[in-house]
Amino acid sequence: MLKKRNKKRTQEHKKHIGQVPGTLVYTGKKSDKDFQVECFDYTKDDIEETILLNIEDAVNYKDTDSVTWINVDGLQHIDKIEDIGKQYDLHPLVLEDIVNTTQRPKIDEYEDYLFVVLKMLYYDANEEIVIEQVSFVLGKNYVLTFQEAEGDVFGTIRERLRYANGRIRGLKSDYLLYALIDAVVDNYFSIIETLGNKIEDLETELFTGHAREDVNIEVQQLKREILKVRRAIFPLREIINRIEKGDHPLIYKRTITYYRDIYDHLIQVSENIDIYREMIWSLMDMYMTTISNKMNEVMKVLTIMSSIFIPLSFLAGLYGMNFEYIPELKYRYGYFVLLGVMFTIFIGLLIYFKRKNWL
């Protein structure tokens, strides 16, 4: 399984070798799901929600007085991604990063827009962490989002737009970008909480001595999950820090406070990750200590048994020698006396070990 994973990762990197900068190469999982463009065009008093069947219709929302969120699902459809890029005058390197799902979270500033890449985390039906890349393009009156496939953590944002909950409909596109990033970051807390529960359950198993035989495999799996989450989340602090301290004209001062709140959340998430990382290492040490203690218990039992049978073996060997004259062999009750002595030694050693708390 590990060789297959490494081979797949190597193939993904090889896709870019020798390519001209700006060449669009999709590096994610191939899927047969349809390409979909979801559009929310809104003002404070009105909203229009549509599914764009023609890519050409997306350009109609580029220069309007309203705010538009265009959500694109299906990065494997490179030709359509390229069409949207042309309509919104996106740099070829931006389009390349959008379809490169191994891209590290980053932010690039251009004259007319901001480009942000981050990782969206969630658990699938098999309780495995799924890391999906989400790209954002912030324009003067629009936000473009690009996802690998349908399904995300933006359900609450859609509801707030539809029913005008909160201040989202009354502010500009920079606040919409904040709300979308905040939804991704808020979902990090549920991931961290689930990881924490798993670690506490394993810790309880090891402390109570009822650990399963495959607990070491589960510990290693949790360790990998935490490292994956850490790699996905940590770069986002730099992104938010640049937005907060930058002076790009698309980010209004009144919105900076909200981005600062995201940064505070990321600090909290990062601290929890570091704590859980240390706990995982402690679990590994605890597991090895538990194994060592079990081995010591086995050796203790074997040593006690050996200690009991050493004097008995000595007596049996002494009177089992083939000398012609051994006085006790002629004694009529010698056999029974020897059994009594052996039994007395056996009971005496048991009492001694019990008093020493070795049994």
Side-chain angles (χ1 to χ4, degrees):
M1 178 66 85
L2 184 58
K3 290 183 178 179
K4 288 183 179 179
R5 244 189 242 117
N6 291 336
K7 184 177 180 181
K8 181 179 179 182
R9 194 179 297 118
T10 303
Q11 289 174 347
E12 289 176 352
H13 288 293
K14 282 184 176 180
K15 291 179 181 180
H16 287 276
I17 296 177
Q19 298 285 349
V20 177
T23 302
L24 274 63
V25 179
Y26 177 61
T27 58
K29 295 180 180 180
K30 296 297 181 181
S31 174
D32 57 354
K33 294 184 177 179
D34 296 333
F35 183 80
Q36 178 175 295
V37 180
E38 182 184 20
C39 178
F40 288 84
D41 184 67
Y42 62 90
T43 62
K44 184 176 182 180
D45 302 318
D46 192 25
I47 183 171
E48 177 187 356
E49 179 181 354
T50 56
I51 300 296
L52 301 182
L53 301 179
N54 297 319
I55 301 299
E56 292 75 15
D57 294 338
V59 74
N60 298 330
Y61 299 94
K62 183 179 179 181
D63 298 311
T64 62
D65 295 330
S66 57
V67 178
T68 305
W69 172 29
I70 296 180
N71 181 52
V72 179
D73 294 328
L75 299 185
Q76 68 271 21
H77 301 274
I78 292 178
D79 54 340
K80 296 180 180 179
I81 299 294
E82 196 168 11
D83 288 340
I84 294 178
K86 290 178 180 178
Q87 293 175 16
Y88 281 84
D89 300 321
L90 301 183
H91 196 281
L93 292 178
V94 170
L95 297 177
E96 180 184 1
D97 289 340
I98 287 175
V99 297
N100 178 18
T101 58
T102 60
Q103 175 63 51
R104 185 178 184 269
K106 59 180 284 190
I107 179 172
D108 289 332
E109 299 182 14
Y110 293 85
E111 184 178 354
D112 299 325
Y113 58 88
L114 280 177
F115 175 60
V116 177
V117 178
L118 52 81
K119 303 296 182 180
M120 180 171 60
L121 308 180
Y122 58 89
Y123 278 101
D124 61 10
N126 298 321
E127 286 297 317
E128 294 184 0
I129 292 181
V130 176
I131 300 179
E132 181 181 341
Q133 177 167 302
V134 182
S135 302
F136 302 85
V137 177
L138 170 66
K140 182 180 179 181
N141 62 334
Y142 65 85
V143 173
L144 307 179
T145 55
F146 298 86
Q147 303 182 49
E148 296 183 51
E150 187 178 0
D152 52 41
V153 297
F154 301 139
T156 55
I157 306 301
R158 293 183 178 91
E159 292 299 312
R160 287 163 62 185
L161 288 173
R162 290 179 184 130
Y163 301 107
N165 294 332
R167 56 180 63 87
I168 189 169
R169 289 255 298 265
L171 296 176
K172 299 293 185 180
S173 57
D174 60 333
Y175 186 86
L176 174 60
L177 176 65
Y178 150 75
L180 294 171
I181 295 178
D182 186 58
V184 174
V185 173
D186 284 345
N187 197 61
Y188 290 163
F189 283 99
S190 64
I191 298 294
I192 296 300
E193 183 180 359
T194 302
L195 286 174
N197 292 335
K198 289 182 178 181
I199 292 174
E200 290 176 2
D201 291 342
L202 283 177
E203 192 175 37
T204 300
E205 285 187 23
L206 291 173
F207 265 124
T208 57
H210 298 95
R212 292 158 290 167
E213 293 183 358
D214 61 344
V215 68
N216 60 324
I217 299 177
E218 192 167 349
V219 170
Q220 289 292 342
Q221 184 177 352
L222 271 176
K223 179 183 173 184
R224 287 195 297 268
E225 287 184 357
I226 288 178
L227 291 177
K228 286 168 61 177
V229 171
R230 190 175 188 272
R231 282 196 298 265
I233 292 178
F234 265 57
L236 188 52
R237 294 168 59 180
E238 178 186 350
I239 294 172
I240 301 302
N241 189 47
R242 284 184 58 183
I243 294 177
E244 179 186 346
K245 296 182 178 179
D247 56 353
H248 199 282
L250 292 175
I251 303 295
Y252 294 93
K253 289 185 178 180
R254 64 173 176 268
T255 318
I256 293 297
T257 304
Y258 298 109
Y259 284 99
R260 190 175 297 121
D261 183 63
I262 293 180
Y263 189 81
D264 292 339
H265 290 170
L266 288 173
I267 293 295
Q268 184 178 350
V269 170
S270 300
E271 289 176 350
N272 288 336
I273 290 176
D274 289 337
I275 291 173
Y276 292 149
R277 191 182 179 194
E278 292 298 325
M279 290 179 66
I280 281 293
W281 284 109
S282 299
L283 285 179
M284 288 295 297
D285 294 338
M286 190 185 304
Y287 173 73
M288 297 305 298
T289 302
T290 302
I291 295 298
S292 178
N293 289 338
K294 288 182 178 179
M295 182 62 68
N296 289 338
E297 287 295 324
V298 173
M299 295 302 299
K300 179 180 176 182
V301 172
L302 294 177
T303 301
I304 290 175
M305 292 178 63
S306 299
S307 300
I308 290 174
F309 281 95
I310 283 175
L312 304 184
S313 300
F314 170 75
L315 293 176
L318 178 65
Y319 289 102
M321 293 186 295
N322 293 324
F323 288 105
E324 184 176 350
Y325 180 71
I326 299 178
E328 291 84 352
L329 294 179
K330 302 295 183 180
Y331 183 59
R332 180 177 181 181
Y333 301 105
Y335 172 73
F336 301 102
V337 171
L338 182 60
L339 285 180
V341 171
M342 287 183 172
F343 183 76
T344 301
I345 293 174
F346 176 77
I347 297 298
L349 288 175
L350 286 180
I351 295 174
Y352 177 77
F353 292 145
K354 188 68 175 178
R355 288 181 177 179
K356 289 287 187 180
N357 292 324
W358 293 350
L359 284 177

